[in-house]
């Protein structure tokens, strides 16, 4: 980011005008003059700048009201590419997308985040290069890299801060390490924030207030309020998993505390409870398998986890008044039991004004939410007015 500001451009207004074109709709010079209130000559100069950078392209002619039909211009999302990286606890996924977050090439692999930054970021570099080659794009076309990590991240620096399941990553300069290889801005956030962003852009773009909840090995949420992702002061907003809940008293949590929501309602906690009852369950995936095979004890345990999560979400509904709560993460794949437990408590414990239009649904993007959000995060930075003005 500082890199870009160093080359602080003469303000041309082209970056600001470009925002109007990001919806992909073709516009004429006259349309843009009307929308911005600027002179036709100013608009023409800005269009020339954006055209030479490849960010917009001719999009045919508008219908004429007589005389020569005016030319139109539209956003050219293929001008550049971004790498979108979703690093989970035990699984990694990386995609190359265009500037509209359309996936051009993608790969994934089982990879434990606990193997540490050298191994995991090495995998990112190696596979990032492979995807660029597969899509026949060269490194100069790479405009940015977005990364999601399964732990708390200070978004302003991109450093993970005391992440419970990835101790070797504490305060590691993830953007710095990736920039040694990729000559592009690197944005980092926690995995749930990027999933919230990905789900919002892909499925709920017109909804301004949305809460995305991930229920997997851990529990967390990403907050979209007034149309934008809200990270809080340090980037820790939405970390629901460590809220104390009734019924969890004394249960040890991986954060070092006791009595957290995550200690009784995460996929891991449910698996451990079922294992104690003699069932073959070691992790979230086993819980999903048992529920799908019709095991009554597993279904009841997942529904109870839903109720426990629901008590915390009822408080969130009172605080944030979202119109949609999306439930994602692997435990959401255990059929309707989780969401039924959540609905049961949220609708009972929240005021009618907050719930009369509230929808509680499962994720539509599933495994793709992370890379779609990582792409959106990088693209938003790359296409911001300041970045565009610097680029051209
Ligand atoms: Zn905890």
């Amino acid at each position: 980011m500082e890199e870009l500001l160093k080359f602080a451009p003469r303000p041309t207004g082209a970056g600001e005008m470009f925002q109007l074109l990001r919806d992909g709709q073709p516009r004429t010079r006259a349309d843009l003059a009307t929308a911005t209130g600027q002179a036709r000559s100013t608009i023409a100069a800005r269009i020339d700048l954006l055209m030479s950078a490849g960010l917009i392209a001719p999009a045919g002619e508008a219908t004429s009201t007589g005389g020569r039909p005016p030319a139109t211009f539209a956003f050219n999302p293929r001008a550049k590419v971004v790498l979108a990286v979703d690093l989970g606890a035990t699984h990694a996924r990386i995609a190359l997308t265009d500037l509209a977050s359309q996936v051009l090439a993608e790969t994934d692999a089982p990879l434990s985040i606990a193997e540490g930054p050298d191994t995991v970021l090495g995998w990112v570099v190696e596979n990032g290069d492979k995807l660029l080659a597969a899509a026949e794009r060269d490194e100069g076309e790479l405009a940015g890299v977005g990364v999601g990590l399964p732990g708390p991240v200070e978004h302003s620096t991109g450093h993970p801060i005391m992440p419970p399941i990835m101790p070797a990553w504490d305060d590691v300069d993830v953007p710095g390490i990736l920039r040694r290889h990729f000559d592009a801005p690197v944005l980092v956030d926690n995995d749930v924030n990027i999933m919230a962003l990905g789900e919002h852009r892909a499925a709920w773009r017109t909804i301004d207030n949305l809460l995305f909840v991930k229920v997997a090995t851990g529990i967390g949420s990403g907050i979209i309020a007034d149309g934008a992702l809200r990270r809080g002061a340090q980037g820790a907003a939405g970390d629901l998993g460590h809220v104390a809940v009734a019924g969890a008293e004394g249960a040890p949590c991986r954060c070092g505390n006791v009595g957290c929501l995550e200690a009784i309602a995460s996929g891991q906690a449910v698996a451990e409870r079922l294992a104690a009852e003699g069932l073959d369950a070691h992790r979230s995936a086993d819980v999903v398998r048992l529920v799908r095979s019709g095991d009554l004890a597993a279904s009841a345990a997942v529904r109870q986890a839903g109720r426990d999560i629901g008590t915390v979400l009822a408080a969130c509904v009172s605080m944030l008044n979202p119109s949609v709560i999306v439930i994602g993460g692997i435990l959401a794949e255990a059929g309707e039991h989780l969401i039924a437990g959540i609905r049961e408590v949220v609708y009972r414990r929240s005021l009618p004004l907050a719930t009369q239009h509230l929808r509680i649904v499962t994720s539509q993007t599933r495994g793709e939410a992370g890379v779609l959000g990582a792409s959106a995060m990088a693209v938003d930075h790359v296409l911001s007015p300041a970045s565009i003005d610097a680029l051209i």
Side-chain angles (χ1 to χ4, degrees), residues 1-2 153-159 188 231 233-234:
M1 224 175 284
E2 290 102 51
V153 172
E154 187 180 60
H155 182 63
S156 59
T157 60
H159 293 199
V188 187
R231 298 182 170 93
Q234 268 74 42

Side-chain angles (χ1 to χ4, degrees), residues 241-243 252-263:
H242 306 285
V243 173
C253 181
R254 60 182 178 159
C255 71
N257 216 328
V258 290
C260 300
L261 174 65
E262 205 168 287

Side-chain angles (χ1 to χ4, degrees), residues 40-367:
R40 286 285 290 273
S41 56
T42 309
I43 298 297
R46 289 175 184 174
I47 282 177
D48 289 346
L49 282 169
L50 292 167
M51 286 266 281
S52 57
L55 287 165
I56 61 172
E61 290 169 342
T63 11
S64 171
T65 49
R68 199 171 63 127
T72 68
F73 304 88
F75 174 34
N76 170 28
R78 299 270 160 151
K80 298 270 179 189
V81 290
V82 304
L83 278 171
V85 186
D86 179 19
L87 299 172
T90 58
H91 197 87
R93 186 185 286 259
I94 181 168
L96 185 74
T97 81
D98 67 11
L99 296 177
S101 295
Q102 290 291 319
V103 174
L104 306 175
E106 171 171 39
T107 188
D108 66 326
L111 179 63
S112 173
I113 197 81
E115 290 199 31
D118 288 349
T119 303
V120 173
L121 297 179
W123 183 91
V124 170
V125 163
E126 186 189 329
N127 286 280
D129 282 344
K130 279 187 191 162
L131 293 181
L132 281 163
E136 298 179 346
R137 308 296 294 248
D138 67 54
E139 248 183 69
E141 293 175 90
L142 184 66
V145 181
V147 182
L149 289 173
V153 172
E154 187 180 60
H155 182 63
S156 59
T157 60
H159 293 199
I161 301 298
M162 298 185 72
I165 62 165
M166 38 194 283
W169 292 74
D170 185 28
D171 208 20
V172 164
D173 182 15
V174 175
I177 292 170
L178 290 177
R179 286 208 60 146
R180 264 178 241 150
H181 185 81
F182 298 118
D183 184 23
V186 178
L187 290 291
V188 187
D189 205 342
N190 77 63
D191 58 346
V192 191
N193 277 351
I194 62 165
M195 288 171 86
L197 198 55
E199 183 81 15
H200 182 246
R201 294 291 170 85
W204 301 98
R205 203 176 260 273
T206 59
I207 297 292
D208 281 343
N209 296 284
L210 174 147
L211 192 62
F212 182 95
V213 184
K214 178 186 180 186
V215 189
T217 310
I219 299 172
S221 75
I223 302 160
I224 305 283
D226 299 327
L229 183 62
R230 304 298 173 187
R231 298 182 170 93
Q234 268 74 42
D239 208 345
L240 304 180
H242 306 285
V243 173
V245 288
E249 294 86 356
C253 181
R254 60 182 178 159
C255 71
N257 216 328
V258 290
C260 300
L261 174 65
E262 205 168 287
I264 56 166
S266 67
Q268 193 61 39
V270 173
E272 282 166 18
R273 192 170 328 135
L274 294 174
E277 292 172 23
L279 288 162
D280 179 22
H282 308 280
R283 53 178 64 193
S284 310
D286 299 324
V287 176
V288 174
R289 174 179 47 79
L290 284 165
V291 171
R292 285 187 177 164
S293 71
D295 186 275
L296 293 178
S299 302
V302 168
R303 186 178 278 255
Q304 183 54 43
R307 292 189 193 104
D308 294 330
I309 294 165
T311 58
V312 175
L313 288 183
C316 297
V317 166
S318 300
M319 288 287 288
L320 299 167
N321 188 199
S323 39
V324 177
I325 296 177
V326 180
I327 310 295
I330 185 166
L331 215 58
E333 290 172 25
E336 278 291 298
H337 300 285
L338 182 72
I339 217 160
I342 290 172
R343 284 186 181 131
E344 189 184 313
V345 176
V346 169
Y347 289 119
R348 194 176 69 221
R349 296 296 300 265
S350 310
L351 288 173
L353 181 62
T355 53
Q356 62 184 346
H357 301 298
L358 174 65
R359 280 175 285 176
I360 303 176
V361 298
T362 47
S363 167
Q364 294 176 35
T365 53
R366 310 234 160 179

